[in-house]
Amino acid sequence: MAARILIDEVADVSDAAVASGLLREFLEARDARDPDVEQRMSERGWRTGGYHLAFRIAGRRRLETLELLRFVRRILAALPVDSQAVTSGRGVTGWLSFAEPPAPDRLDEHVAAVRALHDQARRSFDVATGVGSLDSGASGLLRSIDGAVDGARIAAGRAATGWFVRVDALGIEQVLLSWAGSDTFVPAAESLLAPLASQGPELLETLTAYLDHESGVSATATALGLHRNTVAMRIARAQELLGVDLTDTDARLALHLACRALR
């Protein structure tokens, strides 16, 4: 029995790794469609045609992603809809797929089901969840996942919403997120943050997490697994290199959008 359990565990880990790698290839290809990737997605039962509603469940602290994946898949299996879930970074990325676009009330029910999944997950895992917009085709799946990832990052600082955000309900924040990812903004963001990028990834990663956590040193240190003094030193160095004052709300907003654009 012990050998059987070990074999099953190794198989689960291997399958999760393969699925995670395939999703990464799909996301990295962006709009450059890769027939080989889409063929392998089809072989795994991942539908790219039709309509998709993506969600991202991200750990607010370190967690066992394989355990989270197993939990998410158990809940999804009970839903009367085609669904997928894959480990990705410090969390799980998933989506619901439909042959035809669901009516608005049905879509709200599907979002409510994801919210219920999130609420159940919160009992065992410290997570934040974002839900993207309904979109169609392979490129639509990509856009919906992008929205879900942004939603999860916002949700990580939203205790008032139960650590859950639906991107479609963000209003002006959704407009800013879209603008920050545009072809016009990205080169400007790269130029603005070039002094940090030239120093290696640590300063940019720390600044991004710092702004995501509402300029909280302790929260940033917890999220990154660092000592708060290390975070404070890195933020001071980032301010010096960029020549900005992070107590200025306009400066924080500009830098936050730039960090999101590069991320």
Side-chain angles (χ1 to χ4, degrees):
M1 287 181 66
R4 182 71 259 172
I5 291 171
L6 181 59
I7 290 170
D8 290 344
E9 179 72 14
V10 170
D12 279 354
V13 171
S14 177
D15 182 72
V18 170
S20 180
L22 181 55
L23 178 62
R24 184 170 58 253
E25 287 184 64
F26 173 68
L27 297 177
E28 289 176 350
R30 309 307 295 178
D31 294 329
R33 300 280 292 275
D34 187 331
D36 175 65
V37 169
E38 292 193 20
Q39 174 63 30
R40 284 184 283 140
M41 292 174 69
S42 176
E43 290 170 356
R44 290 192 68 88
W46 297 2
R47 177 193 302 175
T48 53
Y51 293 78
H52 311 283
L53 180 71
F55 59 89
R56 168 72 177 165
I57 304 177
R60 297 181 64 246
R61 294 179 177 81
R62 296 185 185 280
L63 52 72
E64 177 49 61
T65 55
L66 188 57
E67 287 303 314
L68 176 60
L69 176 65
R70 288 168 173 156
F71 174 86
V72 170
R73 285 180 171 174
R74 283 198 301 271
I75 302 299
L76 290 178
L79 301 181
V81 62
D82 183 13
S83 60
Q84 306 296 336
V86 185
T87 56
S88 178
R90 284 171 49 182
V92 168
T93 296
W95 58 93
L96 311 181
S97 296
F98 315 90
E100 300 293 336
D105 58 334
R106 289 292 295 155
L107 181 60
D108 288 342
E109 290 176 9
H110 291 307
V111 173
V114 176
R115 176 63 193 251
L117 187 162
H118 163 77
D119 290 340
Q120 293 179 65
R122 288 280 307 163
R123 298 170 187 167
S124 303
F125 306 93
D126 187 1
V127 294
T129 299
V131 178
S133 300
L134 182 73
D135 214 325
S136 62
S139 58
L141 174 57
L142 178 65
R143 287 190 294 269
S144 189
I145 291 174
D146 284 345
V149 170
D150 279 331
R153 287 176 180 142
I154 294 171
R158 294 287 181 87
T161 64
W163 319 107
F164 181 92
V165 163
R166 180 181 180 183
V167 166
D168 284 350
L170 287 176
I172 187 63
E173 286 178 280
Q174 185 180 8
V175 175
L176 290 174
L177 287 171
S178 299
W179 176 60
S182 70
D183 292 338
T184 302
F185 191 82
V186 171
E190 291 174 341
S191 176
L192 176 63
L193 296 172
L196 300 190
S198 66
Q199 301 295 308
E202 291 82 8
L203 289 180
L204 184 55
E205 288 173 357
T206 304
L207 177 63
T208 301
Y210 177 75
L211 296 170
D212 278 346
H213 289 85
E214 300 178 351
S215 304
V217 172
S218 295
T220 303
T222 299
L224 296 179
L226 299 172
H227 192 280
R228 68 186 317 278
N229 289 346
T230 301
V231 171
M233 291 172 60
R234 288 184 181 179
I235 294 302
R237 179 60 175 158
Q239 287 190 97
E240 178 185 349
L241 289 170
L242 295 172
V244 299
D245 179 5
L246 285 175
T247 63
D248 181 272
T249 55
D250 290 338
R252 285 203 309 275
L253 175 59
L255 288 173
H256 203 181
L257 289 172
C259 289
R260 287 183 179 276
L262 294 193
R263 185 168 54 192

